[in-house]
């Protein structure tokens, strides 16, 4: 079940309008569906995407580390010396992070794809292990994935779950969830609720966010 | 050269490969581009040997910058750096930029980096007298190698061989998906075979690569002999057009049965364009390069061609591809090792 470029554009614009903060209710905000803008490339058609920026925080207790397997141990302090009773902080609690989120169209898989960047207050990008310890992800959502400096993979999957790549319109480096993982789930849900190819495409984006929301904490 | 019944098998293959297909694949594989690599003078260690910091390499088009790093490092160790400096060098902090200050993408095949530089230069003001034809003069691509502080805002991080391999395999799987709507041909390969494709790239071994790739990349069936005559500018290519064979059924798994050919379109600036490219058009005729270009860039490639001189040209693997080339044929014979046909469009002067 796919979205062509023009279907994607139309669905996103409808979605942004429907969930505009002025029009949306508190329920939508709590589901993380508000705050998105539709942006276009200044001179090229068919490169439009959705974008929003949200604040993030780092987890401050070391149980958050259970989310990732410590393959990239060079940067992480040893766990051996940590007393289970105490709280381990990796950064001052007041340090705030900025997360830029994008919904772009994948021309290969013809579905939406979630791209994001995370920077600290000084503007430096976080490493992947650091990102996994922020509030961006649902707790334990990435449990069981193998984490390297440039990707997070599930051993049984064809593609890495989370990879590093270029934003297709901006060309800047981002992290992204591989699109084929979510597309199948969305298709199943839409079939369950009786969605079909002729139905309003806006339902596609909402359902897609629902699936994404099981891994990414989209709430503002 | 006959393409009928005398297929040369480099290795057991799911598809019988006409000799002409193998010829063009080998020519593509063996294509190289000249690189001149110079370390940023500001980053040379205090006691290194200056004046010798330039390294020339004829790099395979299908290879990647991270795969050249060990060789560059050996040269720098021998000629420029002393032991102490060498110990602190970390290749994952290395990054390249062109003379014009363009950051080079380590996840792009070297041939694509070179061709992209060629077309970017086509819109830069030139001090030389301009000609109306695309010049076939092959100049070294001058690169500046930086050894530290990669610009993480603009460049994909971590140019390690491992990251490069993962990016490469991802592109192969995407190409597989584009062709057939699933990646089962790629994922149906055993792990040893998947690793074998990458080893073929690392070692630059045609047979090792195609031993596995021929199970995944569609070929042109013996009956289809619509490969175009080699363009006059490719003086280094041996030109022997295949003989025509009108009989034979189209191969169901062949190049003309894919649902879309993996193609990307590069202009001198702006984002990379990618769209569905069916092998045949609605009227049943093969999808040609001329049709593809005039559909996506109608102002640069008007159809029917106007009487004015050409406004633009298209490079595929550094070669001026004839407009009558068929997209499906290009996908089978002149794609990069990652499965993608990269069409680079430059502006004619």
């Amino acid at each position: 079940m796919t979205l062509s470029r023009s279907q994607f554009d139309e669905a996103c614009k409808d979605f942004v309008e429907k969930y505009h903060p002025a029009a949306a209710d508190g329920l939508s905000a709590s589901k993380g569906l508000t705050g998105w803008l539709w942006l276009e490339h200044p001179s090229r058609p068919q490169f439009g995407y959705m974008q929003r920026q949200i604040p993030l925080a780092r987890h401050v207790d070391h149980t958050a580390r259970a989310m990732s397997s410590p393959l990239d141990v060079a940067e992480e302090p040893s766990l051996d010396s940590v007393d289970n009773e105490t709280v381990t902080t990796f950064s001052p609690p007041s340090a705030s992070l900025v997360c830029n989120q994008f919904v772009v169209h994948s021309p290969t898989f013809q579905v939406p794809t979630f791209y994001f960047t995370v920077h600290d207050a000084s503007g430096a990008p976080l490493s992947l292990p650091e990102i996994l310890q922020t509030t961006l992800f649902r707790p334990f959502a990435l449990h069981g994935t193998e984490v390297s400096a440039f990707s997070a993979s599930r051993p049984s999957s064809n593609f890495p779950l989370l990879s590093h790549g270029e934003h297709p319109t901006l060309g800047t480096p981002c992290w992204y969830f591989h699109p084929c993982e979510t597309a199948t789930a969305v298709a199943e849900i839409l079939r369950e609720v009786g969605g079909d190819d002729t139905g309003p495409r806006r339902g596609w984006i909402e359902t897609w966010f629902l699936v994404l929301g099981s891994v990414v904490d989209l709430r503002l | 050269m006959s393409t009928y019944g005398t297929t040369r098998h480099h290795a057991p293959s799911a598809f019988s490969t006409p000799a002409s297909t193998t010829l063009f694949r080998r020519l593509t594989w063996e294509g190289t581009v000249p690189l001149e690599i110079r370390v940023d003078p500001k980053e040379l260690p205090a006691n290194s040997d200056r004046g010798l910091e330039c390294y020339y390499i004829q790099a395979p088009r299908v290879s990647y910058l991270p795969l050249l790093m060990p060789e560059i490092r050996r040269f720098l160790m021998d000629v420029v750096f002393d032991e102490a400096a060498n110990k602190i060098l970390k290749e994952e902090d290395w990054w390249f930029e062109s003379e014009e200050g363009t950051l080079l993408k380590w996840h792009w095949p070297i041939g694509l980096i070179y061709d992209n530089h060629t077309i970017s230069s086509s819109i830069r003001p030139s001090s030389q007298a301009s000609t109306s034809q695309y010049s076939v003069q092959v100049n070294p691509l001058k690169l500046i190698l930086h050894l530290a502080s990669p610009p993480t805002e603009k460049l994909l991080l971590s140019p390690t061989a491992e990251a490069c391999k993962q990016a490469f395999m991802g592109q192969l799987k995407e190409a597989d998906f584009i062709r057939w709507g699933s990646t089962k041909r790629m994922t149906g390969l055993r792990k040893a075979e998947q690793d074998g494709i990458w080893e073929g790239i690392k070692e630059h071994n045609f047979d090792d690569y195609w031993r596995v790739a021929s199970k995944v990349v569609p070929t042109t069936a013996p009956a289809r002999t619509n490969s175009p005559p080699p363009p006059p500018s490719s003086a280094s290519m041996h030109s022997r057009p295949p003989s025509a064979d009108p009989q034979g059924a189209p191969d169901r798994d062949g190049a003309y049965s894919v649902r879309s050919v993996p193609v990307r379109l590069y202009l001198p600036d702006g984002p990379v364009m990618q769209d569905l490219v069916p092998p045949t058009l609605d009227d049943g005729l093969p999808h040609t390069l001329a049709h593809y270009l005039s559909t996506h860039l109608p102002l640069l490639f008007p159809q029917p061609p106007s009487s004015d001189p050409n406004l633009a040209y298209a490079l595929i693997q550094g070669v001026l591809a004839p407009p009558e080339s068929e997209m499906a044929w290009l996908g089978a014979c002149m794609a990069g090792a990652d499965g993608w046909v990269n069409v680079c469009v430059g502006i004619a002067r």
Side-chain angles (χ1 to χ4, degrees):
Chain A
M1 216 173 177
T2 56
L3 283 184
S4 71
R5 164 49 80 173
S6 50
Q7 288 171 333
F8 171 80
D9 286 6
E10 192 192 315
C12 286
K13 289 178 196 171
D14 282 352
F15 175 85
V16 168
E17 193 184 313
K18 176 179 176 186
Y19 289 101
H20 192 275
D25 53 34
L27 185 61
S28 318
S30 72
K31 285 196 285 185
L33 300 176
T34 56
W36 293 94
L37 298 171
W38 173 257
L39 298 173
E40 301 249 0
H41 188 276
S43 53
R44 298 279 193 90
Q46 307 203 318
F47 278 99
Y49 56 95
M50 296 204 293
Q51 177 176 354
R52 72 175 187 178
Q53 192 180 81
I54 65 168
L56 288 180
R58 298 181 204 250
H59 284 294
V60 292
D61 68 355
H62 71 271
T63 57
R65 279 125 129 357
M67 290 199 290
S68 63
S69 75
L71 270 189
D72 188 6
V73 294
E75 299 150 42
E76 298 182 335
S78 163
L79 283 177
D80 295 339
S81 54
V82 171
D83 182 340
N84 283 338
E85 308 268 315
T86 62
V87 168
T88 310
T89 55
F90 306 125
S91 66
S94 60
S96 63
L97 307 171
V98 170
C99 180
N100 278 301
Q101 302 181 338
F102 309 92
V103 179
V104 309
H105 183 251
S106 163
T108 296
F109 298 98
Q110 298 277 295
V111 291
T113 307
F114 184 72
Y115 279 59
F116 65 93
T117 61
V118 185
H119 295 84
D120 65 22
S122 72
L126 268 62
S127 71
L128 186 53
E130 290 176 308
I131 292 176
L132 293 176
Q133 283 150 24
T134 66
T135 50
L136 180 61
F137 297 108
R138 299 278 185 187
F140 304 105
L142 296 175
H143 192 59
T145 55
E146 290 175 9
V147 179
S148 71
F150 51 87
S151 68
S153 304
R154 289 209 177 93
S156 54
S157 279
N158 295 340
F159 289 91
L161 178 64
L162 195 56
S163 292
H164 206 56
E166 287 184 327
H167 189 289
T169 304
L170 301 173
T172 48
C174 295
W175 298 99
Y176 68 98
F177 279 95
H178 204 277
C180 68
E181 293 272 329
T182 43
T184 322
V186 172
E188 279 179 26
I189 294 175
L190 285 176
R191 268 195 295 276
E192 290 293 315
V193 300
D196 57 58
D197 278 345
T198 62
R201 294 295 165 184
R202 184 196 304 155
W204 220 107
I205 302 287
E206 281 157 320
T207 309
W208 179 79
F209 270 121
L210 186 69
V211 173
L212 185 68
S214 63
V215 175
V216 176
D217 191 342
L218 293 165
R219 295 168 299 179
L220 293 171
Chain B
M1 176 199 320
S2 167
T3 58
Y4 181 58
T6 58
T7 55
R8 285 188 305 155
H9 290 274
H10 284 272
S13 152
F15 310 111
S16 63
T17 309
S20 61
T21 300
T22 306
L23 169 67
F24 278 94
R25 287 176 176 176
R26 189 174 272 284
L27 288 168
T28 301
W29 181 267
E30 292 178 357
T32 59
V33 293
L35 303 179
E36 177 194 294
I37 300 172
R38 185 185 300 272
V39 176
D40 183 357
K42 297 192 284 293
E43 294 179 36
L44 289 174
N47 48 358
S48 63
D49 203 339
R50 305 209 169 217
L52 294 171
E53 75 281 8
C54 204
Y55 184 58
Y56 296 88
I57 180 172
Q58 196 74 20
R61 283 179 157 272
V62 300
S63 186
Y64 294 84
L65 288 174
L67 297 181
L68 301 184
M69 286 178 185
E71 182 181 344
I72 298 170
R73 188 192 192 109
R74 278 194 297 277
F75 163 77
L76 293 175
M77 273 172 54
D78 286 344
V79 174
V80 180
F81 292 130
D82 61 11
E83 272 303 307
N86 180 52
K87 278 186 174 46
I88 60 172
L89 285 181
K90 288 202 302 176
E91 282 163 34
E92 55 268 28
D93 287 340
W94 290 12
W95 53 285
F96 294 87
E97 65 178 335
S98 71
E99 269 192 317
E100 297 85 9
T102 311
L103 291 177
L104 296 190
K105 300 177 199 278
W106 59 258
H107 60 290
W108 278 15
I110 291 174
L112 177 60
I113 294 177
Y114 187 92
D115 290 346
N116 193 64
H117 182 266
T118 301
I119 61 174
S120 299
S121 305
S122 74
I123 60 168
R124 253 177 238 119
S126 163
S127 56
Q128 294 180 327
S130 42
T131 63
S132 59
Q133 293 285 356
Y134 159 67
S135 166
V136 297
Q137 187 179 14
V138 176
N139 296 316
L141 176 59
K142 298 185 180 182
L143 308 185
I144 300 166
L145 167 59
H146 297 273
L147 305 171
S149 307
T152 49
E153 276 309 289
K154 299 181 196 155
L155 213 54
L156 291 193
L157 48 71
S158 176
T160 57
E162 202 45 49
C164 203
K165 173 182 180 181
Q166 192 178 91
F168 172 80
M169 297 306 292
Q171 290 304 310
L172 274 182
K173 289 171 190 166
E174 276 199 42
D176 202 26
F177 186 90
I178 292 253
R179 292 185 198 112
W180 310 111
S182 86
T183 57
K184 59 177 196 277
R185 279 171 178 73
M186 275 298 299
T187 54
L189 298 174
R190 295 191 305 273
K191 172 114 190 2
E193 291 177 308
Q194 293 197 24
D195 292 343
I197 287 191
W198 180 245
E199 287 302 306
I201 300 283
K202 273 173 58 178
E203 307 302 318
H204 197 59
N205 187 306
F206 178 88
D207 291 327
D208 284 351
Y209 172 84
W210 279 107
R211 176 172 303 123
V212 185
S214 54
K215 299 187 180 183
V216 175
V217 180
T219 185
T220 51
R224 300 297 310 235
T225 52
N226 292 324
S227 54
S233 59
S234 57
S236 62
M237 290 171 73
H238 302 287
S239 49
R240 283 191 285 171
S243 58
D245 180 5
Q247 298 182 322
D251 186 350
R252 193 175 63 86
D253 289 321
Y256 291 79
S257 306
V258 298
R259 55 177 203 148
S260 177
V261 183
V263 182
R264 288 186 176 127
L265 186 57
Y266 300 78
L267 284 171
D269 57 13
V272 180
M273 297 164 68
Q274 182 187 328
D275 200 0
L276 292 172
V277 182
T280 49
L281 303 171
D282 292 338
D283 55 11
L285 292 177
H287 192 165
T288 61
L289 183 62
H291 185 273
Y292 173 75
L293 291 171
S294 64
T295 303
H296 291 87
L297 302 170
L299 298 177
L300 291 177
F301 297 95
Q303 197 77 314
S306 66
S307 54
D308 296 331
N310 291 340
L311 296 166
Y313 58 86
L315 294 178
I316 300 177
Q317 299 290 357
V319 168
L320 275 178
E324 62 269 20
S325 312
E326 294 174 7
M327 301 309 289
W329 184 88
L330 291 169
C333 300
M334 286 186 69
D338 61 0
W340 287 83
V341 176
N342 293 314
V343 181
C344 293
V345 170
I347 306 300
R349 290 188 182 274

